[in-house]
Structures are given as C-alpha cells and as structure tokens.
Amino acid sequence: MRWSSFKYLFRQGLHSMLANRMMTLASLGVLLVCMLLTGFTGLLSANVNSLMEWLGGENEMVVMLDRSATDTEYEVTGAQIRSIDGVAEAIYTSKQEALDQLSGDMGEYAYLFNELAGEENPLYAQYTVRVSDPARMEEIANEIRSLDCVEMVNSPDGLVKTFLNVQKWVQIISWGLVTVLGVVSAVVISNTIRLTVFARRKEINIMKFVGATNSFIRMPFFVEGMTVGVVAGLLASGLVLGGYHLVLQKAAAYFAGWEEVVTAVLLPVQAVWPWVTGGFVVFGLVLGGIGTITSMRRYLDV
C-alpha cells in the first residue's frame, strides 16, 4: 500500500471516530475501566509474588538441639539437615554463642548471665535453617523434626500457608478479571465498529464493486478500533501508575521505621511502569484489532 493511500485511510478512521463519538466514548470508557481493574489487580498479584520471594529469602526456622548430645552429634545433625532437599542454608550456633548473643543484647545488664556459663547454660545449641521454597516450609520442618538429635523446631508454617493461599487466589482473580473484562471490551468495541460499518454499508458496497480490496476497506476501521485501544491504554497507565505511586507513599508513611522491609517487598514504580504501559497499549491494540475483525466479516461479503 502506498504511503498516500495509508494517510488517506488513517484520516478516514479518525474522522469515523469523531462522527461516532458517543459510541467511541462508550468503548473508551469500558476499555478504561477494564484496564484499571486489570492493572490494579495485576500490581496486587505482582506485589504478593514479591512478598513471597522476600519470605523465601528472609523466612527461616530455628532448630533446637538436644542439650545432652555431643558436639559430634551436632555436626552429624547439621550434615543431615543440609542434605535435605530444599534447604538453602543451615547455620550452627553453639550454646555458648547463643548465651554470648543474649548477653550482648542485654547491654549493661549482661553481668546477670555470668553465672550461666559452662554446664549451667540453659540455652539450646541450634541451627538456623533457610529454605529455597517457602511452599515447602512445613514439609522440610517435619523432616527435620524426625532427626534423632532435634529437640524442637520453631517454624512459621501458618504464616507461609496464609501467604501462599493469598497468592493463589490473587492470581485466580487476576486472570478471571482479565478474561471477563477483555471479552466485554472486545464486544463493546466490536459493536461500535459494527454501527460505523452499518452506517457506511452503501459506501462499502460501492467500494467493493469498483474493485477495492478488503484490506483497503478494513484499514479505517482498524485505525478506529486500535486508536481507541491505545488511548485507553495510555489513560489507564497514567491513572494506575499515579494511584500506585500514592499507595507506595501511604505505605512508607504508615510503616515508618520499617522502610527497608517496605522497599524490599513492594515493587517501585520504576520497576513496573514499562510493563504496565506496554501491556496496556498492546492489550488495547489487540482488543481493537479483534473487535474490527469480528464486526466486519458479514459486510465484506457483498
């Protein structure tokens, strides 16, 4: 297709949008709402996944060892723990080291623990265990509990289960919303273009009779549908990213003193804006193209 023909067809598509501005605004509104819901749900899902990754790096269980066991038995238990599939790290802390840490935390009152050294030390030797997959936290904890030298295991199984369930349902809801709202948006755009095609059916018939190709006739309608999709995508990007920026500011203010945790868990705007903007624009283009194709088939068979 020549450049002059492309420019003419592009202008025709924009003219059609203005001539049918009420339906164009309706399509734009539905697409915008669809993208806003999808965008906020997608960001929620992404941040839940980020939280789970953070838990995987930060969550740990503490394995208390039998006080009556020997150092050799402690070493053997450590080797057994490290050999368990899914254990990323196991750091040993002796009873004396645990007492020294506790004394250090007490500051000026550290002298109170002077009498607890040696055989009087009531603390446990322990392993601090990190797992590579939080979903296997309970399974690994149960396997460690079965070892001979293990007295008890403190593991945040309930917390991990809660976040895994939240992650699962957020993903299900996200994909459900994307599917339902995507279909609704495609139908609305299709109906908008169908009305435009119906109003110009005589013109299309004449163009067909004088030899115009289907692609030549379709082009203005593609321009109309895809322009609506791109405009909706850009508007939705601005609203979603602006709202997300405000949420991050509120979170930072609310969790004052926990800035490192908030920064580690919540994704910054700089990390998500290319995906949000690019995803919305592509989403709009695809829906605009689908709406155009489905609305024009019957009118080109003349």
Side-chain angles (χ1 to χ4, degrees):
M1 181 183 297
R2 292 181 300 176
W3 175 246
S4 59
S5 299
F6 178 81
K7 289 194 297 183
Y8 166 76
L9 295 173
F10 187 83
R11 286 195 299 268
Q12 286 294 107
L14 296 180
H15 173 75
S16 178
M17 287 179 60
L18 295 176
N20 298 276
R21 50 186 171 273
M22 293 305 296
M23 287 301 296
T24 298
L25 289 175
S27 298
L28 185 62
V30 172
L31 256 182
L32 185 59
V33 171
C34 168
M35 290 181 177
L36 288 175
L37 292 173
T38 303
F40 283 118
T41 306
L43 286 175
L44 175 61
S45 177
N47 279 287
V48 169
N49 288 332
S50 175
L51 174 61
M52 292 307 301
E53 290 179 5
W54 181 79
L55 285 174
E58 299 295 329
N59 242 355
E60 56 192 28
M61 66 182 78
V62 178
V63 180
M64 307 294 189
L65 304 175
D66 187 349
R67 290 197 188 96
S68 62
T70 64
D71 290 340
T72 301
E73 290 174 317
Y74 290 158
E75 291 179 6
V76 171
T77 301
Q80 292 173 330
I81 292 173
R82 295 185 185 96
S83 67
I84 295 174
D85 183 36
V87 171
E89 186 180 33
I91 301 175
Y92 176 69
T93 302
S94 68
K95 292 192 292 184
Q96 185 60 46
E97 288 171 338
L99 182 62
D100 292 341
Q101 290 176 6
L102 182 60
S103 300
D105 292 338
M106 295 299 294
E108 61 180 306
Y109 298 101
Y111 69 89
L112 296 174
F113 297 90
N114 291 340
E115 302 297 325
L116 299 179
E119 295 296 327
E120 301 297 324
N121 187 345
L123 301 182
Y124 288 94
Q126 63 189 41
Y127 280 98
T128 301
V129 179
R130 293 184 180 180
V131 299
S132 55
D133 182 6
R136 298 189 57 206
M137 178 77 72
E138 183 177 10
E139 174 191 345
I140 293 173
N142 289 333
E143 192 167 350
I144 292 175
R145 288 188 181 100
S146 67
L147 300 178
D148 292 336
C149 198
V150 173
E151 185 79 15
M152 68 181 73
V153 177
N154 293 330
S155 173
D157 300 338
L159 180 64
V160 172
K161 276 185 177 180
T162 299
F163 280 114
L164 286 174
N165 287 330
V166 170
Q167 181 186 33
K168 180 183 72 174
W169 283 108
V170 166
Q171 289 177 342
I172 291 174
I173 293 171
S174 299
W175 284 109
L177 278 175
V178 169
T179 302
V180 172
L181 295 175
V183 171
V184 170
S185 301
V187 169
V188 172
I189 291 180
S190 175
N191 288 336
T192 303
I193 298 173
R194 185 175 285 114
L195 288 175
T196 304
V197 173
F198 181 78
R200 297 175 59 189
R201 63 191 183 281
K202 292 183 179 178
E203 179 184 343
I204 292 174
N205 289 344
I206 294 172
M207 293 172 69
K208 287 286 291 184
F209 288 137
V210 299
T213 63
N214 288 345
S215 59
F216 185 89
I217 298 171
R218 281 194 184 103
M219 180 59 71
F221 300 103
F222 269 114
V223 170
E224 180 181 350
M226 292 184 175
T227 301
V228 169
V230 170
V231 172
L234 294 176
L235 288 175
S237 298
L239 292 173
V240 168
L241 293 174
Y244 185 61
H245 178 66
L246 290 176
V247 169
L248 292 181
Q249 286 184 327
K250 294 292 184 181
Y254 185 80
F255 295 102
W258 294 78
E259 289 84 358
E260 291 186 5
V261 176
V262 172
T263 302
V265 172
L266 298 181
L267 299 171
V269 174
Q270 297 88 336
V272 300
W273 80 260
W275 297 99
V276 171
T277 303
F280 279 159
V281 170
V282 172
F283 189 48
L285 286 172
V286 170
L287 287 181
I290 292 174
T292 301
I293 292 172
T294 57
S295 63
M296 292 196 66
R297 281 180 184 163
R298 60 175 295 189
Y299 297 102
L300 292 176
D301 296 331
V302 297

Coordinates of all heavy atoms in Angstrom, one line a residue, residues 194-271:
R194 N -19.2 -2.0 14.4 CA -20.3 -2.6 13.6 C -21.4 -1.5 13.3 O -21.9 -1.5 12.2 CB -21.0 -3.7 14.4 CG -22.1 -4.4 13.6 CD -22.7 -5.6 14.3 NE -21.7 -6.7 14.3 CZ -21.1 -7.2 15.3 NH1 -21.3 -6.7 16.5 NH2 -20.3 -8.3 15.2
L195 N -21.6 -0.6 14.2 CA -22.5 0.5 13.9 C -21.9 1.4 12.8 O -22.7 1.9 11.9 CB -22.8 1.3 15.2 CG -23.7 0.7 16.2 CD1 -23.8 1.5 17.5 CD2 -25.1 0.4 15.7
T196 N -20.6 1.7 12.9 CA -20.0 2.5 11.9 C -20.0 1.8 10.6 O -20.3 2.5 9.5 CB -18.5 2.8 12.3 OG1 -18.5 3.4 13.6 CG2 -17.9 3.7 11.3
V197 N -19.8 0.6 10.5 CA -19.8 -0.2 9.3 C -21.2 -0.2 8.7 O -21.4 0.0 7.5 CB -19.3 -1.6 9.5 CG1 -19.5 -2.5 8.2 CG2 -17.9 -1.6 9.9
F198 N -22.2 -0.4 9.6 CA -23.6 -0.4 9.1 C -24.0 1.0 8.5 O -24.7 1.0 7.5 CB -24.6 -0.7 10.3 CG -26.0 -0.8 9.9 CD1 -26.5 -1.9 9.2 CD2 -26.9 0.3 10.2 CE1 -27.9 -1.9 8.9 CE2 -28.2 0.3 9.8 CZ -28.7 -0.9 9.1
A199 N -23.6 2.1 9.1 CA -23.9 3.4 8.6 C -23.2 3.6 7.3 O -23.7 4.4 6.4 CB -23.5 4.5 9.6
R200 N -22.1 2.9 7.0 CA -21.4 3.2 5.7 C -21.5 1.9 4.8 O -20.6 1.8 3.9 CB -19.9 3.5 6.1 CG -19.7 4.7 6.9 CD -18.3 4.9 7.3 NE -17.4 5.0 6.2 CZ -16.1 5.0 6.3 NH1 -15.5 4.9 7.4 NH2 -15.3 5.0 5.2
R201 N -22.5 1.1 5.0 CA -22.5 -0.1 4.2 C -22.7 0.1 2.7 O -22.1 -0.6 1.9 CB -23.7 -1.0 4.7 CG -25.1 -0.4 4.6 CD -26.1 -1.2 5.4 NE -27.5 -0.7 5.2 CZ -28.0 0.3 5.8 NH1 -27.2 1.0 6.7 NH2 -29.2 0.7 5.6
K202 N -23.4 1.2 2.4 CA -23.6 1.5 0.9 C -22.2 1.9 0.4 O -21.9 1.5 -0.8 CB -24.6 2.6 0.8 CG -26.1 2.2 1.1 CD -27.1 3.3 0.8 CE -28.5 2.8 1.1 NZ -29.5 3.9 0.9
E203 N -21.5 2.8 1.1 CA -20.2 3.2 0.6 C -19.3 2.0 0.5 O -18.5 1.9 -0.5 CB -19.6 4.2 1.7 CG -18.2 4.7 1.3 CD -17.6 5.6 2.4 OE1 -18.4 6.1 3.2 OE2 -16.4 5.7 2.3
I204 N -19.4 1.0 1.4 CA -18.5 -0.2 1.3 C -18.9 -1.0 0.1 O -18.0 -1.5 -0.6 CB -18.7 -1.0 2.6 CG1 -18.0 -0.2 3.8 CG2 -18.0 -2.4 2.5 CD1 -18.3 -0.9 5.1
N205 N -20.2 -1.1 -0.2 CA -20.7 -1.9 -1.3 C -20.1 -1.2 -2.6 O -19.6 -1.9 -3.5 CB -22.2 -1.9 -1.4 CG -22.8 -2.8 -0.3 OD1 -22.1 -3.6 0.3 ND2 -24.1 -2.6 -0.1
I206 N -20.2 0.1 -2.7 CA -19.7 0.8 -3.9 C -18.2 0.5 -4.1 O -17.7 0.3 -5.2 CB -20.0 2.3 -3.8 CG1 -21.5 2.5 -3.9 CG2 -19.3 3.0 -4.9 CD1 -21.9 4.0 -3.6
M207 N -17.5 0.6 -2.9 CA -16.0 0.4 -3.0 C -15.7 -1.0 -3.4 O -14.8 -1.3 -4.2 CB -15.4 0.7 -1.6 CG -15.4 2.1 -1.2 SD -14.9 2.4 0.5 CE -13.2 2.0 0.4
K208 N -16.5 -2.0 -3.0 CA -16.3 -3.4 -3.4 C -16.6 -3.5 -4.9 O -15.8 -4.2 -5.6 CB -17.2 -4.3 -2.6 CG -16.8 -4.5 -1.2 CD -15.6 -5.4 -1.0 CE -16.0 -6.9 -1.4 NZ -14.8 -7.8 -1.2
F209 N -17.6 -2.9 -5.4 CA -18.0 -3.0 -6.8 C -17.0 -2.4 -7.8 O -16.8 -2.8 -8.9 CB -19.4 -2.4 -7.1 CG -20.5 -3.2 -6.5 CD1 -21.6 -2.7 -5.8 CD2 -20.5 -4.6 -6.6 CE1 -22.6 -3.4 -5.3 CE2 -21.5 -5.4 -6.1 CZ -22.6 -4.8 -5.4
V210 N -16.3 -1.3 -7.3 CA -15.2 -0.7 -8.1 C -13.9 -1.3 -8.0 O -12.9 -0.9 -8.5 CB -15.2 0.8 -7.9 CG1 -16.5 1.5 -8.1 CG2 -14.7 1.1 -6.4
G211 N -13.8 -2.4 -7.2 CA -12.6 -3.2 -7.1 C -11.7 -3.0 -5.9 O -10.6 -3.4 -5.8
A212 N -12.2 -2.3 -4.9 CA -11.4 -2.0 -3.6 C -11.2 -3.4 -2.9 O -12.1 -4.2 -2.8 CB -12.1 -1.0 -2.7
T213 N -10.0 -3.6 -2.4 CA -9.7 -4.8 -1.7 C -10.3 -4.8 -0.3 O -10.5 -3.7 0.3 CB -8.2 -5.1 -1.6 OG1 -7.6 -4.0 -0.9 CG2 -7.6 -5.1 -3.0
N214 N -10.4 -5.9 0.3 CA -10.9 -6.0 1.7 C -10.0 -5.3 2.7 O -10.4 -4.6 3.6 CB -11.1 -7.4 2.2 CG -12.3 -8.1 1.5 OD1 -13.1 -7.5 0.9 ND2 -12.3 -9.4 1.6
S215 N -8.7 -5.4 2.5 CA -7.7 -4.7 3.4 C -7.8 -3.2 3.2 O -7.7 -2.5 4.3 CB -6.3 -5.2 3.0 OG -6.0 -4.8 1.7
F216 N -8.1 -2.7 2.0 CA -8.3 -1.3 1.8 C -9.5 -0.8 2.6 O -9.5 0.3 3.2 CB -8.4 -0.9 0.3 CG -8.5 0.5 0.0 CD1 -7.3 1.2 -0.2 CD2 -9.7 1.2 0.0 CE1 -7.3 2.6 -0.5 CE2 -9.7 2.5 -0.3 CZ -8.6 3.2 -0.6
I217 N -10.6 -1.5 2.6 CA -11.8 -1.2 3.2 C -11.7 -1.3 4.8 O -12.2 -0.5 5.5 CB -13.0 -2.0 2.8 CG1 -13.2 -1.8 1.2 CG2 -14.3 -1.7 3.5 CD1 -14.2 -2.8 0.6
R218 N -10.9 -2.3 5.2 CA -10.8 -2.5 6.6 C -10.0 -1.5 7.3 O -10.2 -1.2 8.5 CB -10.1 -3.9 6.9 CG -11.1 -5.1 6.8 CD -10.4 -6.3 7.4 NE -11.2 -7.5 7.2 CZ -10.9 -8.4 6.3 NH1 -9.9 -8.3 5.4 NH2 -11.7 -9.5 6.2
M219 N -9.0 -0.9 6.6 CA -8.0 -0.1 7.3 C -8.6 1.1 8.1 O -8.2 1.2 9.3 CB -7.0 0.5 6.2 CG -5.9 1.4 6.8 SD -4.9 0.6 8.0 CE -4.0 -0.5 6.9
P220 N -9.5 1.9 7.7 CA -10.1 2.9 8.5 C -10.7 2.4 9.8 O -10.6 3.0 10.9 CB -11.1 3.6 7.7 CG -10.7 3.3 6.3 CD -10.2 1.9 6.3
F221 N -11.3 1.2 9.7 CA -11.9 0.6 10.9 C -10.9 0.1 11.9 O -11.1 0.2 13.1 CB -12.9 -0.4 10.5 CG -14.0 0.1 9.6 CD1 -14.0 -0.2 8.2 CD2 -15.0 0.8 10.1 CE1 -15.0 0.3 7.4 CE2 -16.0 1.3 9.3 CZ -16.0 1.1 7.9
F222 N -9.8 -0.4 11.3 CA -8.7 -0.8 12.2 C -8.1 0.4 12.9 O -7.8 0.3 14.1 CB -7.6 -1.5 11.4 CG -7.7 -3.0 11.3 CD1 -8.0 -3.6 10.1 CD2 -7.6 -3.8 12.4 CE1 -8.2 -5.0 10.0 CE2 -7.7 -5.2 12.3 CZ -8.0 -5.8 11.1
V223 N -8.0 1.5 12.2 CA -7.5 2.7 12.8 C -8.4 3.1 14.0 O -7.9 3.5 15.0 CB -7.3 3.8 11.8 CG1 -7.0 5.1 12.4 CG2 -6.3 3.5 10.7
E224 N -9.7 3.1 13.7 CA -10.6 3.5 14.8 C -10.5 2.6 16.0 O -10.4 3.1 17.1 CB -12.0 3.4 14.2 CG -13.1 3.8 15.2 CD -14.5 3.7 14.6 OE1 -14.6 3.6 13.4 OE2 -15.5 3.8 15.4
G225 N -10.6 1.3 15.8 CA -10.5 0.4 16.9 C -9.2 0.4 17.7 O -9.2 0.4 18.9
M226 N -8.1 0.4 17.0 CA -6.8 0.4 17.6 C -6.5 1.8 18.3 O -5.8 1.8 19.3 CB -5.7 0.0 16.6 CG -5.8 -1.4 16.2 SD -4.5 -1.9 15.1 CE -4.9 -3.6 14.9
T227 N -7.0 2.9 17.7 CA -6.8 4.2 18.3 C -7.5 4.2 19.7 O -6.9 4.7 20.7 CB -7.2 5.3 17.4 OG1 -6.5 5.2 16.2 CG2 -7.0 6.7 18.1
V228 N -8.7 3.8 19.7 CA -9.4 3.7 21.0 C -8.7 2.9 22.0 O -8.5 3.3 23.1 CB -10.9 3.1 20.7 CG1 -11.5 2.8 22.1 CG2 -11.7 4.1 20.0
G229 N -8.1 1.7 21.5 CA -7.4 0.9 22.4 C -6.1 1.5 23.0 O -5.8 1.5 24.2
V230 N -5.4 2.2 22.1 CA -4.1 2.9 22.5 C -4.4 4.0 23.5 O -3.8 4.2 24.5 CB -3.3 3.4 21.3 CG1 -2.2 4.3 21.7 CG2 -2.8 2.2 20.5
V231 N -5.4 4.9 23.2 CA -5.8 6.0 24.0 C -6.2 5.5 25.4 O -5.8 6.0 26.4 CB -6.9 6.8 23.4 CG1 -7.5 7.9 24.4 CG2 -6.4 7.5 22.1
A232 N -7.1 4.4 25.4 CA -7.5 3.8 26.7 C -6.3 3.3 27.5 O -6.2 3.5 28.7 CB -8.5 2.7 26.5
G233 N -5.3 2.7 26.8 CA -4.1 2.2 27.4 C -3.3 3.2 28.0 O -2.8 3.1 29.2
L234 N -3.1 4.4 27.3 CA -2.3 5.5 27.9 C -3.0 6.1 29.1 O -2.3 6.4 30.1 CB -2.0 6.5 26.8 CG -1.1 6.0 25.6 CD1 -1.0 7.1 24.5 CD2 0.2 5.6 26.1
L235 N -4.3 6.3 29.0 CA -5.0 6.9 30.1 C -5.0 6.0 31.3 O -4.7 6.4 32.4 CB -6.5 7.2 29.7 CG -6.7 8.3 28.7 CD1 -8.2 8.4 28.3 CD2 -6.3 9.7 29.4
A236 N -5.2 4.7 31.1 CA -5.2 3.7 32.2 C -3.8 3.7 32.8 O -3.7 3.5 34.0 CB -5.6 2.3 31.7
S237 N -2.7 3.7 32.0 CA -1.4 3.7 32.5 C -1.1 4.9 33.5 O -0.6 4.7 34.6 CB -0.4 3.8 31.4 OG -0.5 2.7 30.5
G238 N -1.5 6.1 33.1 CA -1.4 7.2 33.9 C -2.1 7.1 35.2 O -1.6 7.4 36.3
L239 N -3.4 6.7 35.1 CA -4.2 6.5 36.4 C -3.7 5.4 37.3 O -3.6 5.6 38.5 CB -5.6 6.3 36.0 CG -6.4 7.4 35.3 CD1 -7.7 7.0 34.8 CD2 -6.5 8.6 36.2
V240 N -3.3 4.3 36.7 CA -2.8 3.2 37.5 C -1.5 3.5 38.2 O -1.3 3.3 39.4 CB -2.7 1.9 36.7 CG1 -2.0 0.8 37.4 CG2 -4.1 1.4 36.3
L241 N -0.6 4.0 37.4 CA 0.7 4.3 38.0 C 0.7 5.5 39.0 O 1.4 5.5 40.0 CB 1.7 4.7 36.8 CG 2.1 3.5 35.9 CD1 2.9 4.0 34.8 CD2 2.8 2.4 36.7
G242 N -0.2 6.5 38.7 CA -0.4 7.6 39.7 C -1.0 7.0 41.0 O -0.5 7.4 42.1
G243 N -2.0 6.2 40.9 CA -2.6 5.6 42.1 C -1.6 4.7 42.8 O -1.6 4.7 44.1
Y244 N -0.8 4.0 42.1 CA 0.2 3.1 42.7 C 1.2 3.9 43.4 O 1.7 3.5 44.5 CB 0.8 2.2 41.7 CG 1.8 1.1 42.2 CD1 1.3 0.2 43.1 CD2 3.1 1.1 41.8 CE1 2.2 -0.8 43.6 CE2 4.0 0.2 42.3 CZ 3.5 -0.8 43.2 OH 4.4 -1.7 43.7
H245 N 1.7 5.0 42.9 CA 2.6 5.9 43.5 C 2.1 6.4 44.8 O 2.8 6.5 45.8 CB 3.0 7.1 42.6 CG 3.9 8.1 43.1 ND1 5.3 7.7 43.4 CD2 3.8 9.4 43.5 CE1 5.9 8.8 43.9 NE2 5.0 9.8 44.0
L246 N 0.8 6.8 44.8 CA 0.2 7.3 46.1 C 0.2 6.2 47.1 O 0.4 6.4 48.3 CB -1.2 7.8 45.8 CG -1.3 9.1 45.0 CD1 -2.8 9.4 44.7 CD2 -0.6 10.2 45.8
V247 N -0.2 4.9 46.7 CA -0.2 3.8 47.6 C 1.2 3.6 48.3 O 1.3 3.3 49.5 CB -0.7 2.5 46.9 CG1 -0.4 1.3 47.8 CG2 -2.1 2.6 46.5
L248 N 2.2 3.7 47.4 CA 3.6 3.5 48.0 C 3.9 4.6 49.0 O 4.6 4.3 50.0 CB 4.6 3.5 46.8 CG 4.6 2.3 45.9 CD1 5.6 2.5 44.8 CD2 4.7 1.0 46.6
Q249 N 3.5 5.8 48.7 CA 3.8 6.9 49.6 C 3.0 6.7 51.0 O 3.6 6.9 52.0 CB 3.4 8.2 49.0 CG 4.3 8.7 47.9 CD 3.9 10.1 47.4 OE1 2.7 10.5 47.4 NE2 4.9 10.9 47.1
K250 N 1.8 6.3 50.9 CA 1.0 6.0 52.1 C 1.6 4.8 52.9 O 1.7 4.9 54.1 CB -0.5 5.7 51.7 CG -1.2 6.8 51.1 CD -1.5 7.9 52.1 CE -2.3 9.0 51.5 NZ -2.6 10.1 52.4
A251 N 2.1 3.8 52.2 CA 2.7 2.7 52.9 C 3.9 3.1 53.6 O 4.2 2.6 54.7 CB 3.0 1.5 51.9
A252 N 4.8 3.9 52.9 CA 6.0 4.3 53.5 C 5.7 5.2 54.8 O 6.4 5.1 55.8 CB 6.8 5.1 52.5
A253 N 4.7 6.0 54.7 CA 4.3 6.8 55.9 C 3.7 6.0 57.0 O 4.0 6.2 58.2 CB 3.4 7.9 55.5
Y254 N 2.9 5.0 56.6 CA 2.2 4.2 57.7 C 3.2 3.3 58.4 O 3.1 3.1 59.6 CB 1.1 3.4 57.0 CG 0.2 2.6 58.0 CD1 -0.8 3.3 58.7 CD2 0.5 1.3 58.2 CE1 -1.6 2.6 59.6 CE2 -0.3 0.6 59.1 CZ -1.3 1.2 59.7 OH -2.1 0.5 60.6
F255 N 4.1 2.7 57.6 CA 5.1 1.8 58.2 C 6.4 2.5 58.5 O 7.5 2.0 58.2 CB 5.3 0.6 57.3 CG 4.1 -0.3 57.1 CD1 3.3 -0.2 56.0 CD2 3.7 -1.1 58.1 CE1 2.2 -1.0 55.8 CE2 2.6 -1.9 58.0 CZ 1.8 -1.8 56.8
A256 N 6.3 3.7 59.0 CA 7.6 4.5 59.3 C 8.4 3.6 60.3 O 8.0 3.1 61.3 CB 7.2 5.8 60.0
G257 N 9.7 3.6 60.0 CA 10.6 2.7 60.7 C 10.9 1.4 60.1 O 11.8 0.7 60.5
W258 N 10.0 1.0 59.2 CA 10.1 -0.3 58.5 C 10.4 -0.1 57.0 O 10.1 -0.9 56.2 CB 8.8 -1.1 58.6 CG 8.5 -1.5 60.0 CD1 8.0 -0.7 61.0 CD2 8.8 -2.8 60.6 NE1 7.9 -1.4 62.2 CE2 8.3 -2.7 62.0 CE3 9.3 -4.0 60.1 CZ2 8.4 -3.8 62.8 CZ3 9.3 -5.1 61.0 CH2 8.9 -5.0 62.3
E259 N 11.2 1.0 56.7 CA 11.4 1.4 55.3 C 12.1 0.3 54.5 O 11.8 0.0 53.4 CB 12.2 2.7 55.2 CG 11.5 3.9 55.6 CD 11.5 4.1 57.1 OE1 12.1 3.3 57.9 OE2 10.9 5.1 57.6
E260 N 13.1 -0.4 55.2 CA 13.8 -1.5 54.5 C 12.9 -2.6 54.1 O 13.0 -3.2 53.0 CB 14.9 -2.0 55.4 CG 16.1 -1.0 55.6 CD 17.2 -1.6 56.3 OE1 17.2 -2.8 56.6 OE2 18.1 -0.9 56.7
V261 N 12.0 -3.0 55.0 CA 11.0 -4.1 54.6 C 10.1 -3.7 53.5 O 9.8 -4.4 52.6 CB 10.2 -4.5 55.9 CG1 9.2 -5.6 55.5 CG2 11.2 -5.0 57.0
V262 N 9.5 -2.4 53.6 CA 8.6 -1.9 52.6 C 9.3 -1.9 51.3 O 8.7 -2.3 50.2 CB 8.0 -0.5 53.0 CG1 7.2 0.1 51.9 CG2 7.2 -0.7 54.3
T263 N 10.5 -1.4 51.2 CA 11.3 -1.3 50.0 C 11.6 -2.6 49.4 O 11.5 -2.8 48.2 CB 12.6 -0.5 50.2 OG1 12.3 0.8 50.8 CG2 13.4 -0.4 48.9
A264 N 11.8 -3.6 50.3 CA 12.2 -5.0 49.8 C 10.9 -5.7 49.3 O 11.0 -6.5 48.4 CB 12.8 -5.8 50.9
V265 N 9.8 -5.4 49.8 CA 8.6 -6.2 49.5 C 7.8 -5.5 48.3 O 7.4 -6.2 47.4 CB 7.6 -6.3 50.7 CG1 6.3 -6.9 50.3 CG2 8.3 -7.2 51.8
L266 N 7.5 -4.2 48.4 CA 6.7 -3.5 47.4 C 7.6 -3.1 46.2 O 8.7 -2.5 46.4 CB 6.1 -2.3 48.0 CG 5.1 -2.5 49.2 CD1 4.5 -1.2 49.6 CD2 4.0 -3.5 48.7
L267 N 7.1 -3.4 45.0 CA 7.8 -3.1 43.8 C 7.8 -1.6 43.6 O 6.7 -1.0 43.7 CB 7.2 -3.8 42.6 CG 7.2 -5.3 42.7 CD1 6.4 -5.9 41.6 CD2 8.7 -5.9 42.6
P268 N 8.9 -0.9 43.2 CA 8.9 0.5 43.0 C 8.2 0.8 41.6 O 8.1 -0.1 40.8 CB 10.4 0.9 43.0 CG 11.1 -0.4 42.5 CD 10.3 -1.5 43.1
V269 N 7.8 2.1 41.5 CA 7.2 2.5 40.2 C 8.1 2.3 39.0 O 7.7 1.9 37.9 CB 6.7 4.0 40.3 CG1 6.2 4.4 39.0 CG2 5.6 4.1 41.4
Q270 N 9.4 2.6 39.3 CA 10.4 2.4 38.2 C 10.4 1.0 37.6 O 10.8 0.8 36.4 CB 11.8 2.9 38.6 CG 11.9 4.3 39.1 CD 11.5 4.5 40.5 OE1 10.8 3.8 41.1 NE2 12.0 5.6 41.1
A271 N 10.1 0.0 38.5 CA 10.2 -1.4 38.0 C 9.0 -1.8 37.3 O 9.1 -2.8 36.5 CB 10.5 -2.3 39.2

